[in-house]
Amino acid sequence: TLRWLGVLRVSREQEESGLDSEFGLKAYSRNNDVLQRCRTVSALLSENGFSALDLFDALVSLRGVVYRTFTPQAADHKLEGEVKDILQHLSYDSLGGQDGRPHLAFLSHHKADAGDAARIFVDTARRLLASQPFLESAGLGPRAEEAVRRVKPQDLVWLDSTNLKELPTLLDVVASSCNHILFLTRAALERPWVLAELVAAHTLGKYVCLVLLEWPGATEERLREFQFPAALERTIHEWAWFLSKEAPARHKRDGEGELRRRVTTAASSWHTSASADSSHHIRRTPSEDARFSRQLPLTAMSLGPAGPRSGKAAKRVPLPSVALQRPESYKASVSSLAEEE
């Protein structure tokens, strides 16, 4: 009726998409949610001696980690094989002894999505580590085998089964563990405590083992799965955007350009698209993973809520599904960040 009367001044496409599309209300709501979540995590990190920049570095480092898979609903032989594969690629060098770590690994996970899977994994891992046939077949070496025998089975893989209410206590356990196992599920990289545990492990130089949980065939269960690498890139994208908005003023007292330096350093490590690198699925030892992480190209990210900043119009667009971009757009984003500082 309004169009017939000549009062409605929008096209049919604009009318169908609604005012949310015209004024970017959905994008604003999404960006506001991301901003509030990042602020909450940043405050938690600050309380425990870390910063949002430390988290950014830790997240970027995950691009160089070769992930393993774990299927909690698999048959016994497949389940056991996946746990063996993860255990064989952990570092046993500093386990046990007077000066050694009391825990082989700290298991970090989001309880709502991975609580049951974590319990299955830990029970299986403890059983295998107490098994002489596994120790002999795993090729860990005499010293590692002796270290495993000296540690109580329940202390080898640490899982928070008592619902600890104090994060510093958990971070102390992270520090006293040789390895950091991170279970990736849909919201794992949004959980404040999971991110704090990751930052602590990264800062302390722990070997980080990413485990991608899978529920093949179960439609409802698969909603809990982590979409790798898109979800990781989206998280890095969000934190880069948060830092571009909040960090410059906060870190001026520590020296201007710190954020730009870190982001530029990440950009300079680009060699080729990580999505085309098939070595993400190659099994390697911790030392090989460390060497690989220095060689793996870092994919580009945009430093705005809607991608590379090219004017006010870009701010109206909601966060997209993150696609790997070319270095040119990445460098353009760094330039816009420099202008803001």
Side-chain angles (χ1 to χ4, degrees), residues 166-207:
E166 296 182 0
L167 178 59
T169 303
L170 287 175
L171 298 184
D172 287 342
V173 181
V174 172
S176 62
S177 302
C178 302
N179 303 272
H180 190 78
I181 300 175
L182 174 56
F183 272 14
L184 291 177
T185 50
R186 57 184 169 184
L189 295 185
E190 296 178 3
R191 307 307 303 169
W193 282 30
V194 170
L195 293 174
E197 292 160 0
L198 173 63
V199 173
H202 175 74
T203 303
L204 293 168
K206 304 294 181 182
Y207 172 65

Side-chain angles (χ1 to χ4, degrees), residues 11-290:
S11 66
R12 182 177 297 276
E13 291 76 12
Q14 288 175 313
E15 180 185 8
E16 291 175 352
S17 62
L19 289 178
D20 278 2
S21 174
E22 180 66 19
F23 293 106
L25 297 181
K26 291 182 179 178
Y28 175 82
S29 177
R30 169 65 187 278
N31 293 338
N32 188 60
D33 290 344
V34 171
L35 185 62
Q36 293 302 320
R37 171 159 45 83
C38 290
R39 281 176 175 170
T40 300
V41 174
S42 182
L44 180 68
L45 293 175
S46 180
E47 292 173 2
N48 290 276
F50 304 108
S51 69
L53 283 172
D54 294 329
L55 175 58
F56 177 78
D57 288 343
L59 290 169
V60 170
S61 73
L62 296 184
R63 289 169 168 163
V65 178
V66 181
Y67 70 83
R68 267 81 194 177
T69 59
F70 180 61
T71 313
Q73 296 179 343
D76 290 346
H77 67 282
K78 177 178 174 59
L79 187 84
E80 190 171 292
E82 291 177 337
V83 175
K84 283 182 178 180
D85 177 55
I86 295 170
L87 294 177
Q88 287 175 335
H89 289 85
L90 298 181
S91 173
Y92 293 77
D93 294 341
S94 58
L95 177 64
Q98 294 182 349
D99 300 326
R101 307 292 182 185
H103 307 292
L104 173 62
F106 178 94
L107 179 55
S108 180
H109 67 293
H110 178 208
K111 285 185 173 62
D113 287 336
D116 52 349
R119 173 52 59 191
I120 294 172
F121 175 86
V122 169
D123 289 344
T124 305
R126 289 172 178 172
R127 176 171 53 82
L128 288 173
L129 289 169
S131 167
Q132 184 62 30
F134 167 74
L135 295 177
E136 293 176 352
S137 63
L140 304 178
R143 184 186 178 284
E145 292 181 20
E146 182 60 29
V148 170
R149 293 190 186 96
R150 285 199 301 264
V151 179
K152 297 179 180 179
Q154 61 268 27
D155 292 336
L156 285 169
V157 181
W158 200 92
L159 175 67
D160 178 16
S161 57
T162 58
N163 294 316
L164 292 175
K165 303 298 183 183
E166 296 182 0
L167 178 59
T169 303
L170 287 175
L171 298 184
D172 287 342
V173 181
V174 172
S176 62
S177 302
C178 302
N179 303 272
H180 190 78
I181 300 175
L182 174 56
F183 272 14
L184 291 177
T185 50
R186 57 184 169 184
L189 295 185
E190 296 178 3
R191 307 307 303 169
W193 282 30
V194 170
L195 293 174
E197 292 160 0
L198 173 63
V199 173
H202 175 74
T203 303
L204 293 168
K206 304 294 181 182
Y207 172 65
V208 177
C209 178
L210 294 182
V211 178
L212 204 64
L213 296 193
E214 297 180 341
W215 288 273
T219 305
E220 293 184 2
E221 298 290 348
R222 294 195 70 177
L223 294 175
R224 296 190 281 176
E225 292 184 359
F226 185 90
Q227 302 302 315
F228 191 94
L232 173 60
E233 292 302 318
R234 182 172 62 249
T235 302
I236 294 174
H237 172 102
E238 291 172 351
W239 277 97
W241 172 67
F242 170 75
L243 288 170
S244 71
K245 292 180 67 66
E246 303 248 324
R250 186 182 307 158
H251 288 275
K252 276 186 177 180
R253 63 180 180 274
D254 299 326
E256 290 198 37
E258 171 66 11
L259 174 60
R260 182 172 69 250
R261 182 189 65 78
R262 293 201 186 187
V263 177
T264 304
T265 300
S268 66
S269 299
W270 178 289
H271 297 295
T272 183
S273 173
S275 62
D277 194 304
S278 61
S279 56
H280 272 287
H281 305 281
I282 297 177
R283 299 176 179 178
R284 278 185 286 269
T285 63
S287 60
E288 290 172 332
D289 276 342

Side-chain angles (χ1 to χ4, degrees), residues 30 230 233-234 237 318-325:
R30 169 65 187 278
E233 292 302 318
R234 182 172 62 249
H237 172 102
L319 278 167
S321 298
V322 175
L324 302 181
Q325 302 173 6

